[in-house]
């Protein structure tokens, strides 16, 4: 299923537009997401940076945006002798789709309210501007 999601995101410009619109994701974010989803194992920042041929700090910021948007999960792996590192895995595609649907529904409701306010504002203005009949 994850490979199908990556192919869908890569092939469908409308979906990429949704990712940009709803979450402010960049082309690099989408590329990093594709790398994480396309891997069978959890990946470190260094792993992803090597795949996309970008600096570690740049990829870290991209992965943080993906984490904030809910597209990836971050897990801490502890070394036996102390210390730790983080790995990234894709989030559940159904959870991602459900969240995008919720955001779309919220946006739709807000736009409906704004349209209603627009109608009220300009209906009143038209009524005041109409000449009095006498």
């Amino acid at each position: 299923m994850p490979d199908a999601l990556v192919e869908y995101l890569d092939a469908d410009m409308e979906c990429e537009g949704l990712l940009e619109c709803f979450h402010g994701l960049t082309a690099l974010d989408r590329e990093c997401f594709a790398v994480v989803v396309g891997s069978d194992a959890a990946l470190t920042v260094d792993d992803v940076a090597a795949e996309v041929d970008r600096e570690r700090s740049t990829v870290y910021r991209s992965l943080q945006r993906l984490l904030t948007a809910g597209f990836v999960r971050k897990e801490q792996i502890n070394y036996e002798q102390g210390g730790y590192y983080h790995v990234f895995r894709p989030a559940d595609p159904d959870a991602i789709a459900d969240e995008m649907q919720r955001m779309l529904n919220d946006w739709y409701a807000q736009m409906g309210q704004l349209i209603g306010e627009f109608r009220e504002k300009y209906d009143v203005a038209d009524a005041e501007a109409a000449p009095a009949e006498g």
Side-chain angles (χ1 to χ4, degrees):
M1 176 78 171
D3 289 341
L5 178 60
V6 171
E7 289 174 18
Y8 181 75
L9 292 174
D10 287 342
D12 189 329
M13 293 303 290
E14 291 176 6
C15 187
E16 288 178 4
L18 277 177
L19 298 180
E20 291 170 1
C21 182
F22 283 137
H23 299 286
L25 300 182
T26 67
L28 176 61
D29 298 339
R30 290 191 312 271
E31 192 175 349
C32 290
F33 180 63
V35 168
V36 172
V37 170
S39 176
D40 291 334
L43 299 175
T44 65
V45 173
D46 292 328
D47 295 333
V48 178
E51 286 292 319
V52 299
D53 194 29
R54 293 307 255 314
E55 293 291 326
R56 183 184 196 284
S57 61
T58 302
V59 169
Y60 178 79
R61 286 189 300 274
S62 183
L63 288 169
Q64 285 302 115
R65 283 189 296 274
L66 291 167
L67 182 65
T68 299
F71 285 87
V72 298
R73 300 182 332 238
K74 181 166 87 170
E75 300 171 11
Q76 180 175 307
I77 306 295
N78 297 316
Y79 292 114
E80 286 183 23
Q81 56 281 71
Y84 63 90
Y85 63 98
H86 291 108
V87 294
F88 295 85
R89 298 179 189 277
D92 176 35
D94 288 331
I96 294 169
D98 289 347
E99 178 61 15
M100 283 195 291
Q101 184 65 56
R102 186 197 61 75
M103 292 175 78
L104 178 61
N105 293 344
D106 290 349
W107 179 85
Y108 185 77
Q110 289 174 339
M111 290 303 104
Q113 182 177 351
L114 288 173
I115 290 168
E117 290 171 7
F118 177 86
R119 285 182 196 273
E120 288 177 19
K121 179 179 179 179
Y122 289 102
D123 281 349
V124 170
D126 287 345
E128 290 173 357
E133 294 184 28

